[in-house]
Amino acid sequence: MTELVLYMKPGCHLCHNAEALLQDLQASLAFTYTAIDITLDAVLFERFREDIPVIELHGEVLLSAPIGEATARKLLASRLPALA
């Protein structure tokens, strides 16, 4: 199964919205995701602090803030397999 990474931090409403979107999309697309708190890693914090939330696939940043729901749905549907 395809694995996405969601870079986020606590208290970030945009991050919460991105995670809710991913959870919703799991009903129709075959993927799992791992949410990573960037505040726990200085390198990740420096890299993503201005861009969170960030959704990554195979090391490629697909989406970063602001993540529009319609754009995210279309992009992820084009890159991820549908559930059978």
Side-chain angles (χ1 to χ4, degrees), residues 59-81:
E60 174 189 0
V61 172
L62 295 181
L63 298 158
S64 61
I67 295 176
E69 183 176 345
T71 300
R73 284 180 181 279
K74 184 176 179 180
L75 176 65
L76 293 174
S78 74
R79 301 288 298 267
L80 300 171

Side-chain angles (χ1 to χ4, degrees), residues 43-54:
V43 173
L44 291 177
F45 185 78
E46 184 63 31
R47 180 177 175 200
F48 293 122
R49 70 178 170 183
E50 301 295 325
D51 299 322
I52 59 166
V54 171

Side-chain angles (χ1 to χ4, degrees), residues 5 7-8 12 17 20 27 32 35 39 51 56 60 62 70 74 78 82:
V5 177
Y7 293 102
M8 59 188 305
C12 169
N17 292 346
T32 59
T39 65
D51 299 322
E56 192 176 80
E60 174 189 0
L62 295 181
K74 184 176 179 180
S78 74

Side-chain angles (χ1 to χ4, degrees), residues 1-73:
M1 187 166 292
T2 303
E3 174 75 21
L4 296 176
V5 177
L6 172 63
Y7 293 102
M8 59 188 305
K9 72 176 185 178
C12 169
H13 74 281
L14 295 175
C15 300
H16 173 76
N17 292 346
E19 186 166 29
L21 174 62
L22 290 178
Q23 290 170 349
D24 185 51
L25 287 171
Q26 285 182 312
S28 59
L29 300 173
F31 73 93
T32 59
Y33 74 92
T34 301
I36 297 179
D37 179 352
I38 65 167
T39 65
L40 301 176
D41 183 307
V43 173
L44 291 177
F45 185 78
E46 184 63 31
R47 180 177 175 200
F48 293 122
R49 70 178 170 183
E50 301 295 325
D51 299 322
I52 59 166
V54 171
I55 298 174
E56 192 176 80
L57 173 64
H58 305 301
E60 174 189 0
V61 172
L62 295 181
L63 298 158
S64 61
I67 295 176
E69 183 176 345
T71 300
R73 284 180 181 279

